[in-house]
Amino acid sequence: MGFWTKSLLIFNAFCANAKQSIRQVAHQTGLSKSSVHRLKQAMERRDCHPESWLWETKEGRSWLVRLVVATLYTFGLKRGVGAETISEFFARLRLETQVGCSPSALRHVMQALEQAILETAATWEHEGIAEGEVRPIIGAVDETFLAHMMLVFMDLVSGYLLVEEVAEDRTYETWHTLVKGRLKALGVGVRYLVSDRAKALIKLAETGLACLSIPDFFHLIHELVKNYSLAIGGRLRQARQALTQAQEQLRACQSFDPSGAEAQQAQALVEARAAEVLRWERVHRAYRLHLENLSLIVHPWRVVDSTPQTSGDVERQLQAETRAIEGLIETTGLPVKKKALDKVRTQLAGVSALVDVWWQGVWHDVQQVALTPMWTNWVEEVLLPLMYWQLQVSRTRCPRRKAKLLQVLEAIQNTFETHPITQQLAPEVLEGWQAWAVEHAKAFQRASSAVEGRNGSLSQMQHNQRGLPKHRSKVWTVLHNFDCRASDGTTPASRFFRRSFPDLFETVLSHIDDLPRHRKHNRAMALNN
């Protein structure tokens, strides 16, 4: 019988009859008189605040355990708050007499939490492999540099982290060993792999996994932005500063001699500076428009009218926009960085290839069902674009792109609602078709932004939690997979295995039977005596 269990028995006994003797309580609880006496004295020492009695009850003790574990779980493990800060927090709550609140005691509890988290995740992943429904993944690979280099491999559709391991190098052999081992354990394949143009990652896709390597569209756009956005923005900023200075000079001249020659010269200078600002504003808007057009081109349908397009159609449009950017830069007088543009052009074919790969997956599924031409047309030109544009609208943050996507979504929504097949389907059948279309819409992944976001999150946690314990990075991976919830309440693990899992915190909490006891320091004991 544990310390707190014995303490609860004595507390309940004295609550039932406060006038009982220690001998009577010992007989009633089955404990020795010395134990009752010692525990009663400890209880009296803890009773130093008005709320102290609450922690002696069964409900209070249970809630106290939840409070301590939730604080360590949420702020210690997930947010990187140090044990010293959490210890101070508990002291301000006047809990130092109820539980061990020292940094060393709290670190001991956090180690127990880490162990429980890792064991729980391993069990759940085995259950997911055995009972779940795992389909071929769409992978994204990248590396991040913390105290040590870490390789990250994620399923873009679900957000599930398959690999997040510290490695000595990022060669093909290292990547291949880690990725193939995880894929074999999970029993899944890879449809295509999105990555930057690192040679090891291209070889990993084409040789190691025998799948298509898709250039990361995020990196492609970033290549254009880092080479020209700063230069154009700098010229615009300089032009505006020059205009402000000219306007100040004009006001000074007009206050001294409104009709003088200096005022006329200052007015002419203001007009020239205003024209320069207008010129660079037009260049900036045109450049931003070309970047937006690049983003709006890489879709299975045209944004203008939801007409299906092929990889060839997409590549031709991307090449045209790239030439337009080059022509725009030439007209401004800025240096045209041929190497950067050539680097972008070499990736356009690879980015465009994603469209045909995606359509092949759709047609493969459609061919499994004998559909009439009318049904096929409804699936490919009405149902799929509707679900796809809905997904893209929810993801897009840029107001201008979002407005364009909303226009095409409204048009296809009207077509969908008035289509004869839509009107004749039963609600449950239509819901099934929509769920099927959403699955395919999510399978169009042109960028590894999710991995970049994960790298940023790892960097921030690494900065917050210096001197990391050995297993902390593995705990981060588990917390992401099993406790990172989307707006619909699903986790990456539930989306990846297509099955639900219990709440990770509640499961881990059930593994913590008790908390460390408060230890009074010798100095404090001497002062009390």
Side-chain angles (χ1 to χ4, degrees):
M1 188 181 298
F3 173 84
W4 293 112
T5 303
K6 296 177 182 178
S7 182
L8 178 60
L9 288 175
I10 297 172
F11 176 79
N12 290 334
F14 280 110
C15 284
N17 186 358
K19 296 182 179 181
Q20 291 185 96
S21 65
I22 292 179
R23 182 188 298 274
Q24 290 173 325
V25 172
H27 182 267
Q28 180 180 344
T29 58
L31 303 175
S32 65
K33 290 187 296 181
S34 60
S35 294
V36 174
H37 180 66
R38 185 174 60 254
L39 292 171
K40 185 175 184 295
Q41 286 182 325
M43 193 182 306
E44 291 171 349
R45 288 194 299 269
R46 294 195 299 268
D47 188 17
C48 52
H49 302 294
E51 72 278 5
S52 297
W53 67 270
L54 175 63
W55 311 126
E56 304 294 344
T57 66
K58 179 180 180 181
E59 294 77 10
R61 176 57 52 175
S62 177
W63 192 88
L64 183 60
V65 172
R66 175 177 289 271
L67 171 64
V68 173
V69 173
T71 303
L72 296 175
Y73 180 93
T74 305
F75 299 104
L77 295 179
K78 299 184 71 173
R79 296 294 180 264
V81 178
E84 289 79 5
T85 303
I86 298 177
S87 176
E88 179 183 351
F89 171 71
F90 286 144
R92 293 183 185 278
L93 292 179
R94 302 192 296 199
L95 299 179
E96 69 278 359
T97 60
Q98 304 297 328
V99 294
C101 295
S102 66
S104 59
L106 296 179
R107 292 190 187 99
H108 180 74
V109 178
M110 289 181 69
Q111 291 174 2
L113 288 177
E114 290 176 344
Q115 187 64 27
I117 287 172
L118 295 176
E119 292 176 355
T120 300
T123 301
W124 285 355
E125 188 170 90
H126 286 306
E127 293 176 357
I129 295 172
E131 304 173 7
E133 184 185 353
V134 182
R135 301 179 184 179
I137 67 171
I138 297 170
V141 284
D142 201 3
E143 63 280 332
T144 186
F145 297 89
L146 306 175
H148 304 281
M149 183 177 64
M150 183 173 289
L151 306 184
V152 182
F153 176 34
M154 175 187 286
D155 173 36
L156 288 175
V157 176
S158 65
Y160 191 80
L161 288 168
L162 286 83
V163 173
E164 200 169 59
E165 296 285 345
V166 173
E168 295 295 330
D169 57 65
R170 44 180 171 169
T171 61
Y172 164 75
E173 290 74 17
T174 302
W175 270 111
H176 185 256
T177 301
L178 289 174
V179 171
K180 288 294 287 187
R182 283 294 285 154
L183 293 176
K184 182 178 180 181
L186 293 169
V188 296
V190 180
R191 293 180 60 181
Y192 59 87
L193 199 65
V194 182
S195 67
D196 56 25
R197 294 291 81 192
K199 294 181 179 179
L201 300 181
I202 297 176
K203 185 178 180 180
L204 174 66
E206 298 176 349
T207 303
L209 303 178
C211 67
L212 187 65
S213 175
I214 300 295
D216 188 342
F217 193 65
F218 172 83
H219 284 86
L220 187 147
I221 294 293
H222 180 66
E223 189 68 31
L224 292 172
V225 169
K226 74 179 182 181
N227 282 286
Y228 295 115
S229 291
L230 185 60
I232 295 175
R235 295 297 180 89
L236 177 58
R237 183 174 59 257
Q238 293 171 6
R240 287 172 174 170
Q241 291 174 351
L243 175 60
T244 301
Q245 294 173 359
Q247 290 171 340
E248 292 175 353
Q249 183 179 356
L250 175 61
R251 285 193 293 269
C253 292
Q254 288 177 341
S255 63
F256 178 74
D257 185 7
S259 59
E262 291 185 1
Q264 293 177 358
Q265 293 177 356
Q267 179 64 41
L269 182 62
V270 167
E271 293 175 356
R273 295 288 185 262
E276 189 71 5
V277 169
L278 182 61
R279 171 175 175 261
W280 283 108
E281 285 179 344
R282 289 173 177 170
V283 170
H284 186 261
R285 284 196 299 269
Y287 177 70
R288 290 292 301 272
L289 180 61
H290 287 308
L291 292 180
E292 291 176 12
N293 289 340
L294 286 173
S295 179
L296 293 172
I297 287 170
V298 187
H299 294 292
W301 297 270
R302 295 180 185 272
V303 175
V304 178
D305 53 7
S306 289
T307 302
Q309 55 184 358
T310 65
S311 294
D313 300 330
V314 172
E315 184 178 1
R316 283 190 292 272
Q317 295 175 69
L318 292 177
Q319 292 286 2
E321 286 296 332
T322 306
R323 289 193 297 270
I325 292 175
E326 183 178 9
L328 176 66
I329 299 301
E330 289 175 348
T331 61
T332 63
L334 293 172
V336 178
K337 300 181 180 180
K338 291 290 186 180
K339 289 185 178 180
L341 288 173
D342 291 342
K343 182 178 180 180
V344 170
R345 290 192 179 101
T346 58
Q347 299 181 40
L348 297 182
V351 171
S352 304
L354 173 60
V355 176
D356 281 351
V357 171
W358 185 83
W359 276 115
Q360 289 171 6
V362 172
W363 292 328
H364 178 269
D365 270 9
V366 170
Q367 290 173 359
Q368 303 301 315
V369 184
L371 297 179
T372 64
M374 181 177 180
W375 270 83
T376 303
N377 178 78
W378 176 75
V379 168
E380 296 181 2
E381 300 184 11
V382 181
L383 175 64
L384 278 170
L386 174 66
M387 298 295 104
Y388 180 83
W389 293 129
Q390 284 181 353
L391 183 63
Q392 294 302 317
V393 166
S394 66
R395 289 176 174 176
T396 303
R397 296 182 180 180
C398 175
R400 291 181 296 273
R401 292 205 306 269
K402 198 178 190 74
K404 293 179 180 180
L405 295 180
L406 283 172
Q407 289 180 356
V408 69
L409 176 59
E410 291 175 0
I412 200 68
Q413 181 73 44
N414 294 332
T415 304
F416 175 78
E417 292 175 353
T418 58
H419 199 281
I421 293 180
T422 305
Q423 295 178 346
Q424 74 182 19
L425 287 178
E428 60 275 9
V429 177
L430 181 60
E431 183 178 348
W433 274 104
Q434 289 176 323
W436 173 85
V438 168
E439 287 287 332
H440 278 285
K442 291 179 179 179
F444 191 88
Q445 299 286 340
R446 62 184 189 175
S448 62
S449 304
V451 175
E452 299 293 343
R454 178 59 181 173
N455 290 347
S457 176
L458 286 173
S459 178
Q460 182 63 45
M461 289 190 288
Q462 169 75 18
H463 176 76
N464 291 343
Q465 306 185 46
R466 297 179 181 179
L468 292 174
K470 184 177 181 180
H471 299 297
R472 184 61 56 84
S473 61
K474 295 182 179 180
V475 173
W476 288 346
T477 305
V478 173
L479 292 174
H480 172 88
N481 286 338
F482 291 92
D483 199 40
C484 180
R485 298 192 178 275
S487 57
D488 60 358
T490 61
T491 63
S494 64
R495 296 190 294 270
F496 182 78
F497 292 106
R498 290 176 171 80
R499 69 185 297 271
S500 61
F501 292 95
D503 184 86
L504 180 61
F505 170 75
E506 296 295 338
T507 304
V508 170
L509 177 62
S510 65
H511 287 76
I512 306 300
D513 298 325
D514 213 338
L515 298 174
R517 293 169 54 188
H518 168 66
R519 293 290 188 267
K520 182 176 290 188
H521 296 292
N522 292 333
R523 181 183 177 187
M525 293 178 65
L527 291 175
N528 289 337
N529 293 332

